[in-house]
Amino acid sequence: MQQSDTPDSSMQSLQRVLKSLRAYRWLSLGAFFSLLLLTAANAVTPQLFRWGIDQGIAKQDLQIVLYSAGAMVVTAIARGVFNFGQSFWAEAASQGVAYDLRNRIFSKIQTLSFSYHDQAQTSQLLTRVTSDIEQIRTFLGTSLIQVLSSVVTLVTIAVILLVMNWQLALITLTVVPMSGWLLARFLTRNGNLFRQVQEQLSDLNAILQENLLGVRVVKAFVRESTEAQRYTALNESLVTANMKTIRAIHNTFPVIFLLSNLVTLVVFGYGGAQVIGGKFSIGELVAFNSYLLVILQPILLIGFAAPAIAQAAASAERVYEVVDAKVEIRDRPGAVPFEICSGRITFENVSFRYPGATTETLKGVSFETKPKELIAVLGMTASGKSTIMNLIPRFYDVTTGAVRIDGRDVRDLTLASLRSHIGIVFQETTLFSGTLRENIAYAKPNATLEQVIEAATTAQIHDFIAALPDGYETIVGERGVGLSGGQKQRVAIARTLLTDYSILILDDSTSAVDAQTASQIQTALDDLMRRRACVTFVVAQRISTVQNADRIFLMDKGQLMAQGTHEELMQTSPLYGAILESQVARFPQRSFHESPVKQAI
């Protein structure tokens, strides 16, 4: 996941966030209009004090005092209303932007290629969807409105002060450029610190996620204390990073507070002298001092908002890194739908290297299947078997060569149509939260219960589900907890069987199923494979599971070493014979004359 540490990049990302407010322009305008009215109400209040003191108290006119007091009450109510409107509309707009960003980044994650997910940490993505977007929302709903309010207030009060007493106003306003310079330097120097905090938080989330997913392994190997120490170490790093930001804040804001206090003393001394000299009324001094407090408040608000702005800028950059990530596997211009498959799948001198890898996983693989053919792909671990299967539905694109279906390059077919016609049962089974029925009908949500039961029966899981108290409405635990590995695999097989597949791929899909159940599944699948699929691929490591396939592809170190029937390979391939001999030695009780692909399907 590429990262940028330049402040300019972070600020550009923050500008993109501000542009997203265009979608909520009326809410934004409502907040800004309320802000202007609130500023006007704040600006009027000191003048009411001045009027009440100079025209009422000083002249002992009770009616003026009462009028000014009543006007102050009305102004206070107006300030409350306008403040609520400003906060409400700003929060509504910020929630809308956060909603859009969450949907946008989630949708982008769905479209990103396998190669991206191979390199991106899940914890990083989770932090960006949650914590980073929340930082942006807080900036838009609170910090941004504070900054805008402060700027409008500064301009308004500066004009009023210059009209009242320009000499005293110039003294007062000197704090503004000095504070602005200090804040700008703070943002420039410390932007990376806030990014580091988010990175440390992501690393901490990674440890938490790993331990939640692997809690059984941790307990099985009595590694609780070690994992606690690892988490504590990263937690300390996060605290250290946070403390750096706090020190940066403390190095800047006390100076701003000192400047503010010094200006207050100067105004009190100089203004007091002018009152004594008769050049300034007491009411004017009180009003001026009130404006001084009002003008210092925006400076302090901008100061407090500065860390939030820096953090929001870092978060915006991290979010847009995902939003702008390149989708490597996408429809080509002019791609056509995949509609009919006759069963001829061709690999033309295919080589493939995973992103970031230094060696090729596949090297010059070439073959062509025949209609209705059952192809078994055999080989040791990391020989490239699953990689071949990943290239057919374009989970990855070939490095060199081409993969064709009925003579057409898979890159010339639309992704949605291609993948919707390929049924895959992965080696690693993934179930989602919800009911068993929803999991089986995942790719076909409108499937009837009868269709779901038919698929489950073929996968030899119906009897188990029917015996449950809630049957097909049984809630599946997180990641399928509560189901055995074999039960999860059979649910996954049923899920695939319910799709409208033309090409069937079984990637060592019954590795957790016992031999008897695998045989029952095979018996039920035999007719379906021959009748529904134009071609079937079975990936396995054991010869006993594939010996009766129409053809066996023997893979070794990314190369297609041999192909043929079981009998042909027994006679022509020393590697095949060596694998068979080693497996017979390991499992002498297992028969190598079982029905086709019994164990693998």
Side-chain angles (χ1 to χ4, degrees), residues 29-272:
L29 287 174
F32 187 70
F33 186 64
S34 298
L35 182 156
L36 294 178
L37 293 175
L38 177 61
T39 302
N42 287 330
V44 166
T45 301
Q47 295 298 329
L48 294 176
F49 274 109
R50 174 185 176 182
W51 180 43
I53 292 173
D54 289 343
Q55 303 300 321
I57 297 175
K59 296 182 178 181
Q60 298 184 351
D61 189 337
L62 181 60
Q63 188 176 17
I64 297 296
V65 173
L66 293 176
Y67 283 159
S68 63
M72 289 180 195
V73 171
V74 174
T75 304
I77 294 174
R79 286 206 309 270
V81 172
F82 299 146
N83 189 48
F84 171 80
Q86 166 191 283
S87 301
F88 178 82
W89 297 119
E91 186 64 28
S94 71
Q95 289 287 355
V97 171
Y99 170 84
D100 291 340
L101 276 178
R102 280 192 292 266
N103 282 342
R104 190 175 177 186
I105 195 172
F106 184 83
S107 298
K108 185 58 179 282
I109 289 172
Q110 302 303 305
T111 63
L112 287 170
S113 311
F114 275 31
S115 58
Y116 181 91
H117 292 286
D118 290 342
Q119 300 177 74
Q121 286 186 324
T122 303
S123 60
Q124 288 276 355
L125 295 175
L126 285 173
T127 302
R128 296 179 193 218
V129 175
T130 54
S131 177
D132 284 323
I133 290 182
E134 181 60 20
Q135 293 288 350
I136 294 171
R137 188 204 63 76
T138 302
F139 160 71
L140 293 176
T142 304
S143 303
L144 177 61
I145 203 70
Q146 284 181 351
V147 171
L148 289 176
S149 176
S150 299
V151 171
V152 172
T153 300
L154 280 174
V155 173
T156 303
I157 301 304
V159 172
I160 294 174
L161 291 180
L162 288 169
V163 171
M164 289 182 64
N165 189 316
W166 67 269
Q167 298 99 330
L168 199 57
L170 290 178
I171 297 173
T172 303
L173 295 175
T174 54
V175 73
V176 176
M178 289 188 290
S179 299
W181 178 78
L182 289 170
L183 293 175
R185 191 180 68 163
F186 170 82
L187 290 173
T188 303
R189 290 187 174 183
N190 302 299
N192 290 337
L193 282 178
F194 295 97
R195 183 184 181 94
Q196 289 172 12
V197 169
Q198 293 302 104
E199 298 293 345
Q200 292 284 355
L201 180 60
S202 296
D203 293 340
L204 193 66
N205 285 340
I207 300 296
L208 177 60
Q209 181 192 17
E210 288 176 0
N211 276 263
L212 290 175
L213 294 175
V215 63
R216 289 168 175 76
V217 176
V218 173
K219 291 183 177 297
F221 291 95
V222 197
R223 300 292 291 175
E224 294 92 339
S225 60
T226 302
E227 291 301 322
Q229 291 172 4
R230 191 159 69 111
Y231 187 85
T232 300
L234 280 177
N235 203 7
E236 289 175 352
S237 298
L238 177 61
V239 172
T240 301
N242 274 309
M243 290 305 298
K244 287 181 180 178
T245 65
I246 293 173
R247 281 194 291 271
I249 293 171
H250 286 173
N251 289 337
T252 300
F253 295 104
V255 179
I256 296 176
F257 298 152
L258 177 60
L259 289 173
S260 302
N261 291 329
L262 290 175
V263 169
T264 302
L265 290 175
V266 171
V267 168
F268 181 77
Y270 186 82

Side-chain angles (χ1 to χ4, degrees), residues 7 26 42 125 142 163 179 255 296 316 337 370 421 484 544 559 573:
W26 294 113
N42 287 330
L125 295 175
T142 304
V163 171
S179 299
V255 179
L296 291 177
K370 300 174 183 177
H421 283 81
S484 69
S544 61
Q559 294 180 300
S573 175

Side-chain angles (χ1 to χ4, degrees), residues 470-484:
D470 295 324
Y472 283 87
E473 299 306 315
T474 300
I475 299 295
V476 177
E478 184 180 10
R479 302 182 312 279
V481 172
L483 300 178
S484 69

Side-chain angles (χ1 to χ4, degrees), residues 17 52 127 154 240 280 389 399 405 476 480 484 550 593:
V17 169
T127 302
L154 280 174
T240 301
F280 218 36
M389 301 302 104
T399 304
I405 299 178
V476 177
S484 69
D550 295 326
H593 300 284

Side-chain angles (χ1 to χ4, degrees), residues 356-432:
T358 56
T359 58
E360 291 183 326
T361 305
L362 296 180
K363 305 171 185 177
V365 174
S366 296
F367 63 81
E368 183 170 286
T369 66
K370 300 174 183 177
K372 300 296 180 180
E373 194 172 22
L374 173 59
I375 301 294
V377 185
L378 181 71
M380 304 300 288
T381 301
S383 60
K385 306 183 300 296
S386 294
T387 301
I388 289 178
M389 301 302 104
N390 285 333
L391 295 179
I392 297 173
R394 282 194 72 199
F395 293 146
Y396 302 89
D397 274 341
V398 299
T399 304
T400 59
V403 177
R404 302 183 184 278
I405 299 178
D406 297 334
R408 187 182 292 274
D409 195 316
V410 292
R411 289 169 291 191
D412 293 329
L413 303 172
T414 60
L415 278 173
S417 65
L418 173 65
R419 293 175 182 173
S420 65
H421 283 81
I422 299 177
I424 305 178
V425 181
F426 293 101
Q427 185 176 5
E428 295 182 2
T429 303
T430 299
L431 299 184
F432 299 93

